[in-house]
Amino acid sequence: MTRAIITVVGKDTVGIIAKVCTYLADNKINILDISQTIVQGYFNMMMIVDVTKSGKDVADTAADLSGIGESMGVNIKCQHEDIFNKMHRI
């Protein structure tokens, strides 16, 4: 299984989850775990996803999601799980 970490941060607006999840579904990316919260008008979401069946590599997925985020005024990052773990290792 190839997993990636997706984070979404920014001002809360209508449709953030819908647009991200629609992209994931269209690209056969399965959500394994998800957490989201809104604090004083700021949206924060973290997802662990399985990209194994996607026809795109993680870098292309990251670029697509970044573009979606820009169109909504939020910051969306997508990283391969191994890179995420190495960056956040104590």
Side-chain angles (χ1 to χ4, degrees):
M1 179 183 319
T2 305
R3 298 181 350 163
I5 310 300
I6 298 172
T7 57
V8 183
V9 178
K11 286 259 189 190
D12 187 33
T13 59
V14 173
I16 296 172
I17 295 172
K19 286 184 182 180
V20 172
C21 289
T22 297
Y23 173 84
L24 298 177
D26 289 347
N27 287 279
K28 296 179 178 62
I29 298 172
N30 188 39
I31 299 168
L32 302 172
D33 201 354
I34 183 171
S35 172
Q36 68 93 28
T37 187
I38 300 168
V39 177
Q40 294 185 2
Y42 289 94
F43 179 85
N44 184 27
M45 179 168 65
M46 181 174 175
M47 302 171 128
I48 301 173
V49 298
D50 178 2
V51 296
T52 306
K53 294 181 181 175
S54 176
K56 297 182 179 185
D57 64 20
V58 175
D60 290 338
T61 299
D64 291 346
L65 288 169
S66 180
I68 291 168
E70 285 179 28
S71 73
M72 291 186 294
V74 298
N75 186 4
I76 303 178
K77 299 287 184 191
C78 177
Q79 295 177 303
H80 191 284
E81 181 183 36
D82 292 342
I83 294 171
F84 183 86
N85 286 335
K86 287 184 189 324
M87 287 179 56
H88 294 91
R89 183 177 53 185
I90 296 177

